[in-house]
């Protein structure tokens, strides 16, 4: 991710929202803008991982993510992989870490281990059963 996705601050709608937050909840403009930008950044990088067997790289290519006040607002699922050894890297070091990660992840998936983390169709259907009877709900109806 290049940059921090701050909102356009001259928007009349945003200005009204910021004024409301300040007067009603005493939330400072910069606090809200930081929170909102880091929420958007988290949503963006979260799209990399879509299932338990997916893997991907999330690179925060902006020095502002080195700052504790920005980093501390990222969710725990991102912070757990963002240790000191992954901060403020040179391009060469970052590329080395990326190559190492991709070599490890490119190994074939152990199907026995995968069975331990994925649910079977029967387990999913049992989770979708109605409380009143044992008839499974159609998957399409359960998703809506």
């Amino acid at each position: 991710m290049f940059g921090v996705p701050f909102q356009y601050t001259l928007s009349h709608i945003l200005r009204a929202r910021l004024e409301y937050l300040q007067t009603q909840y005493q939330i400072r403009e910069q606090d809200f803008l930081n929170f909102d930008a880091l929420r958007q950044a988290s949503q963006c990088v979260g799209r990399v991982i879509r299932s338990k067997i997916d893997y991907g790289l999330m690179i925060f290519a902006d020095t502002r993510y080195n700052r504790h006040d920005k980093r501390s607002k990222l969710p725990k699922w991102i912070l757990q992989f963002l240790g000191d050894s992954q901060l403020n890297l040179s391009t060469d070091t970052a590329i080395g870490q990326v190559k190492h990660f991709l070599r490890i992840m490119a190994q074939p998936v152990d199907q026995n281990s995968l069975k331990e983390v994925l649910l079977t169709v029967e387990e999913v259907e049992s989770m979708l059963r109605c409380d009143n009877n044992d008839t499974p709900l159609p998957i399409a109806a359960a998703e809506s």
Side-chain angles (χ1 to χ4, degrees):
M1 165 158 283
F2 292 97
V4 180
F6 287 106
Q7 289 190 42
Y8 177 64
T9 56
L10 298 180
S11 158
H12 297 295
I13 296 170
L14 178 61
R15 300 289 342 143
R17 181 178 295 147
L18 291 171
E19 184 178 327
Y20 175 80
L21 290 171
Q22 173 62 41
T23 57
Q24 296 297 314
Y25 299 102
Q26 292 72 47
I27 296 174
R28 294 181 323 130
E29 178 178 318
Q30 198 57 41
D31 290 341
F32 174 78
L33 292 172
N34 279 325
F35 166 79
D36 187 61
L38 291 163
R39 179 188 55 80
Q40 288 184 44
S42 301
Q43 286 179 337
C44 180
V45 298
R47 288 180 169 85
V48 172
I49 307 297
R50 297 170 303 180
S51 76
K52 289 184 179 183
I53 59 173
D54 275 350
Y55 64 91
L57 295 165
M58 295 170 254
I59 300 172
F60 292 93
D62 190 306
T63 57
R64 289 175 285 186
Y65 291 107
N66 281 334
R67 293 177 40 190
H68 185 295
D69 67 319
K70 298 280 189 277
R71 221 176 39 248
S72 65
K73 290 177 179 63
L74 292 169
K76 290 178 185 174
W77 70 267
I78 293 175
L79 290 175
Q80 70 181 335
F81 300 108
L82 200 58
D84 290 337
S85 64
Q86 286 86 33
L87 297 176
N88 206 22
L89 303 178
S90 69
T91 303
D92 291 337
T93 304
I95 290 172
Q97 287 191 8
V98 166
K99 286 180 179 179
H100 177 72
F101 172 78
L102 292 175
R103 268 192 215 105
I104 291 170
M105 297 309 295
Q107 302 305 310
V109 175
D110 176 17
Q111 294 300 318
N112 290 330
S113 296
L114 191 58
K115 289 177 185 174
E116 293 175 17
V117 295
L118 296 178
L119 297 174
T120 65
V121 173
E122 292 80 21
E123 290 170 322
V124 171
E125 286 177 348
S126 71
M127 295 171 108
L128 296 175
R129 294 194 198 291
C130 294
D131 289 334
N132 298 338
N133 59 29
D134 288 334
T135 307
L137 294 170
I139 300 245
E143 290 175 352
S144 57

